[in-house]
Amino acid sequence: MPFRYGLERWSYTLQRVSGVAITLFFVAHIVQTGNVVGGASVWSIPPYELAKKVWTETEAFLANPLFDLGLSVLGFLIFFHAFNGVRLVLAHFGIILKKPSRPEYPYRPGSMSQAQRALFWVTIVLAVAALVYALDVFFEVLRL
Amino acid sequence: MREKNIMLLHYITGILILVAGGIHLSTVFLLSPYEESMKFDSSPLAVMSVYRNVLLAGSLEALLILVAFHGFNGLRVILQELHQGKTYKKAVSLAVTIVALALVVYGTRTILIAHQLANL
C-alpha cells in the first residue's frame, strides 16, 4: 500500500492492480461465454437445445453472492481503469499538465496539477457510482 | 514493433475499448434489465439476440480483439518492469502473445458459432 506517497502513486498502483484484475476477469469471461454455444469442445454449429442447456447450467453455477460481489468490485475497477486511463493519456500528451520547473519545496509534481487531481477524484466518484449501481443490480438493495 | 508505437497502440485500443465496452455494458445493464439480458433467448437483448445482430456481434468481436491486445500488452509491460533480462523479456513477450491469440481464436469461435446458431 503506497501510504508514504502522494496521489499519483495511488493512481499508479490502482491502475496496475485494476488492469491485472480486469485481464484475469477477461480470461475467465471468454471461457465462460464459450458456454453459450455449448463449451470448449464445440467447433461447429451445435443443436440449439444443447447450447441452451449448457448456458443455463453455467448461469446456475454463477448465481452465487460471491461471484456477484466479485463482479461489483470489478465494476469499480473497470470504471476506475477506464477514466483514470483517459487522464493518463491526456497527461502523456502534455494536456492539463503544469509547466516544467525546477524542483522547489514542497516538491509538488507537475504531473499532478489541480486539474489532474480533480480528474482523479472524478474518476473515484464514477467508480464508486459503478460499484453502487452494480451492487443494486445484483443484490437489489436500493432498487434504483 | 518499437516500444513507442506499441504504447501508442495501447492508448488507441484503450480509447476504442471505451466505445466497444460501453456498447457491451449498455446492452447488458442499461438498455434491458439484467435478468432479461442474461436469458438465453426470448428477450430483445438476451444472449442469443445480441449474437444474432451482426452489428452487436461485430462490436463484441472488436471488443475481444481490443481487450486481448490492451490487457496482455499491459501485463507484458508490468512483467518486463519487474525483472530485466534479454531471455526473460523475449519469453514474456512470447507467452503473452500466445495467450492473447488463443483467447482471440476461442472467443471468435464463440461469436461466429453463436451468430450462426442464433440465425438458424
Side-chain angles (χ1 to χ4, degrees):
Chain A
M1 286 286 182
F3 287 117
R4 295 195 296 126
Y5 305 93
L7 209 57
E8 68 276 18
R9 184 72 172 214
W10 277 101
S11 151
Y12 164 88
T13 306
L14 265 174
Q15 188 74 0
R16 295 213 151 178
V17 170
S18 60
V20 172
I22 295 164
T23 305
L24 291 178
F25 164 76
F26 173 68
V27 176
H29 190 59
I30 297 305
V31 172
Q32 174 228 341
T33 51
N35 285 359
V36 295
V37 293
S41 57
V42 177
W43 285 81
S44 59
I45 302 172
Y48 186 89
E49 285 311 314
L50 170 84
K52 189 173 182 177
K53 182 172 157 279
V54 174
W55 173 252
T56 314
E57 282 169 5
T58 309
E59 281 309 287
F61 170 72
L62 293 174
N64 179 318
L66 272 181
F67 284 120
D68 289 343
L69 193 65
L71 280 183
S72 305
V73 174
L74 212 72
F76 177 92
L77 295 176
I78 287 174
F79 271 69
F80 177 82
H81 193 90
F83 293 107
N84 196 51
V86 172
R87 185 184 70 75
L88 289 173
V89 172
L90 290 178
H92 186 104
F93 291 104
I95 302 164
I96 61 169
L97 284 190
K98 277 191 202 160
K99 286 215 168 70
S101 60
R102 285 177 191 283
E104 273 169 18
Y105 188 80
Y107 309 116
R108 284 194 180 277
S111 56
M112 265 298 179
S113 64
Q114 200 105 51
Q116 288 270 333
R117 283 174 176 269
L119 265 184
F120 174 82
W121 289 112
V122 168
T123 298
I124 291 288
V125 168
L126 286 172
V128 171
L131 175 68
V132 172
Y133 180 82
L135 285 173
D136 181 59
V137 167
F138 296 126
F139 298 101
E140 299 182 335
V141 208
L142 304 169
R143 296 172 191 275
L144 289 170
Chain B
M1 225 190 308
R2 284 166 66 188
E3 200 63 37
K4 151 190 149 181
N5 294 333
I6 299 179
M7 255 359 249
L8 188 60
L9 212 51
H10 194 75
Y11 292 153
I12 293 170
T13 51
I15 300 293
L16 291 177
I17 288 167
L18 283 181
V19 181
I23 296 171
H24 183 47
L25 288 180
S26 307
T27 58
V28 174
F29 292 100
L30 294 183
L31 302 175
S32 117
Y34 182 65
E35 297 85 48
E36 296 292 317
S37 309
M38 281 297 121
K39 285 182 179 164
F40 189 69
D41 216 332
S42 75
S43 160
L45 282 174
V47 178
M48 276 296 142
S49 317
V50 170
Y51 286 114
R52 189 172 290 126
N53 184 316
V54 185
L55 288 178
L56 288 178
S59 79
L60 284 181
E61 178 68 34
L63 186 60
L64 171 72
I65 294 169
L66 291 169
V67 176
F69 175 84
H70 189 90
F72 283 96
N73 185 51
L75 210 55
R76 179 188 68 85
V77 170
I78 294 174
L79 289 174
Q80 290 181 349
E81 245 182 52
L82 285 177
H83 180 83
Q84 277 79 41
K86 226 173 177 177
T87 324
Y88 173 77
K89 197 173 173 181
K90 276 192 177 165
V92 167
S93 296
L94 186 68
V96 152
T97 310
I98 290 172
V99 178
L101 279 179
L103 279 169
V104 169
V105 168
Y106 188 65
T108 305
R109 173 220 63 141
T110 304
I111 293 168
L112 281 179
I113 295 180
H115 177 66
Q116 288 168 291
L117 182 67
N119 278 305
L120 275 184

